[in-house]
Amino acid sequence: MLADRIEAKWIDAFCEVFERCAVKPGDTAAILSETQSRALNVHLSELALLRMGAKPFHVVVPTPRNRHIVPVRSTGASEAIQRLGPVITALQQAGFVVDCTIEGLMHAPETPEILKAGARIQVISNEHPEALERMRPDSALEKRVRAAAKMLRGTKRMHVTSAAGSDLDVVMEGASTVGVWGWTDKPGTLAHWPGGIVVSFPKSGSVNGTLVMAPGDINLTFKRYLASPIHLTLKDDYIVDLKGEGADAIMMRNYLAAWGDREAYAVSHVGWGMNPAARYEALTMYDQRDTNGTELRAVSGNFLFSTGANEFAGRYTAGHFDLPMMGTTIALDGVPVIKDGVVQDVFG
């Protein structure tokens, strides 16, 4: 376990991110946290904002009871706000929101209302700051993520293959695409740190084919590298068959079934990681309480496949898997952008 001690270098890293978020002296900033938030990141956010001459204030809410029969991890859909009007109003009026909730506000139900008021939300992923400092802002990464998002928005078809046997077809027309490079300086937008990810949320009925998760691929809900293959068959967005003999497949089947919700089997988003500073082996370097796995989502060249909620397809569920897959080939309208797990030189 890493020491939970304030380090000047971590304040420096937080300042770098907030500067990219256009925080200026005198600006008001809300630090949103919950009682089970990583206190170290909350404290670092406050110290960094004060060093910059901003005027931070804290909004702290009790971590709500888990309403589900299974542990919930890595959903990006914090339930901490509980639709409390005064909390939403405070965040709307703050202008800049530092999100230190455990799961983050990416897919929280209150987020659209907060963004619509013009606030910008910077999610500090629930990582130990030792990991955050390695993935500080990178202007070159921003340029490449923007180019990838633009390409995805103009794509009609995504085709994903692999030596392990994947053959997945995704209709991209009408999909909603988001690129995240690690900070946000535009009112009404959200970003998370670490960044370096581009993902699309396909419309209903857009995903069909086979995905084969090979040993070494990652189940981030379980924070676990796979030791045995898992074969997923998808029809009109839904996993209709999940085969595998090892513990990885057994746990995945059990977790999906535990929700009692068909939408947990559906596709949430598809995309890939682009951050050259993100390390594939990082999951082995941290105790489970010290990592949320965002770094693994951003590893350059992984195919980031996710199940669960997709508001753009009208699907809502708390069941969620983020499943980075290595060694895949991703083609957009026949043009390879990832080849055998390597990002191709097509994004400038």
Side-chain angles (χ1 to χ4, degrees):
M1 183 185 299
L2 295 161
D4 285 353
R5 174 189 183 276
I6 296 293
E7 301 281 356
K9 62 179 182 175
W10 294 338
I11 303 176
D12 293 342
F14 276 62
C15 283
E16 287 183 45
V17 171
F18 295 156
E19 286 168 1
R20 296 278 183 146
C21 294
V23 175
K24 301 290 191 299
D27 285 356
T28 303
I31 302 171
L32 174 67
S33 64
E34 54 187 294
T35 49
Q36 285 295 310
S37 287
R38 191 182 301 273
L40 186 56
N41 289 348
V42 176
H43 198 176
L44 286 166
S45 297
E46 177 192 298
L47 292 175
L49 289 166
L50 288 171
R51 180 190 288 183
M52 296 172 66
K55 297 179 178 179
F57 66 92
H58 289 274
V59 178
V60 186
V61 294
T63 297
R65 181 175 182 174
N66 182 3
R67 301 176 290 103
H68 311 289
I69 65 170
V70 291
V72 178
R73 297 289 185 273
S74 300
T75 65
S78 174
E79 298 181 353
I81 296 177
Q82 298 283 288
R83 298 188 182 274
L84 286 170
V87 173
I88 296 171
T89 298
L91 300 179
Q92 289 173 325
Q93 295 180 352
F96 181 60
V97 178
V98 181
D99 173 20
C100 292
T101 59
I102 296 171
E103 294 296 337
L105 295 179
M106 283 82 74
H107 308 300
E110 302 88 357
T111 297
E113 191 175 352
I114 297 167
L115 295 176
K116 189 176 180 180
R120 58 198 192 280
I121 300 174
Q122 178 63 45
V123 179
I124 308 296
S125 186
N126 188 27
E127 314 285 352
H128 195 281
E130 195 274 344
L132 294 170
E133 70 163 314
R134 290 187 293 101
M135 288 173 282
R136 296 190 301 277
D138 180 354
S139 296
L141 178 63
E142 177 190 7
K143 180 181 177 181
R144 297 177 75 239
V145 171
R146 284 184 181 275
K150 182 179 180 180
M151 184 177 291
L152 267 176
R153 292 185 183 110
T155 296
K156 295 182 178 179
R157 214 111 186 159
M158 175 189 289
H159 190 209
V160 182
T161 56
S162 71
S166 294
D167 188 358
L168 190 72
D169 184 69
V170 184
V171 176
M172 297 295 294
E173 292 176 293
S176 179
T177 295
V178 178
V180 180
W181 45 87
W183 69 90
T184 176
D185 57 3
K186 183 179 178 182
T189 60
L190 175 150
H192 58 74
W193 175 36
I197 300 169
V198 58
V199 295
S200 294
F201 296 81
K203 292 181 68 176
S204 181
S206 298
V207 185
N208 288 277
T210 302
L211 271 182
V212 181
M213 297 188 68
D217 289 341
I218 307 162
N219 186 322
L220 283 177
T221 300
F222 297 157
K223 298 180 183 178
R224 174 185 174 99
Y225 297 97
L226 268 62
S228 54
I230 299 174
H231 293 247
L232 305 173
T233 302
L234 291 106
K235 183 175 181 181
D236 295 334
D237 301 344
Y238 290 85
I239 297 172
V240 295
D241 193 26
L242 192 160
K243 294 180 179 177
E245 301 301 325
D248 298 304
I250 293 170
M251 288 192 296
M252 193 169 177
R253 276 195 294 263
N254 289 349
Y255 192 77
L256 285 168
W259 293 99
D261 183 358
R262 181 171 180 259
E263 305 305 340
Y265 290 81
V267 175
S268 176
H269 58 71
V270 294
W272 62 85
M274 300 186 70
N275 194 332
R279 299 299 308 179
Y280 165 77
E281 67 276 8
L283 202 59
T284 67
M285 304 294 186
Y286 298 96
D287 294 335
Q288 285 207 350
R289 73 174 295 274
D290 285 332
T291 182
N292 191 45
T294 305
E295 179 172 3
L296 279 296
R297 294 167 172 84
V299 168
S300 184
N302 86 81
F303 172 53
L304 184 55
F305 177 76
S306 177
T307 63
N310 178 350
E311 54 266 44
F312 303 99
R315 297 192 293 263
Y316 301 89
T317 179
H320 186 77
F321 278 122
D322 272 333
L323 306 167
M325 302 181 194
M326 317 309 295
T328 64
T329 293
I330 304 174
L332 304 183
D333 292 335
V335 177
V337 294
I338 309 289
K339 190 171 182 179
D340 298 328
V342 179
V343 179
Q344 300 300 288
D345 190 18
V346 294
F347 303 120

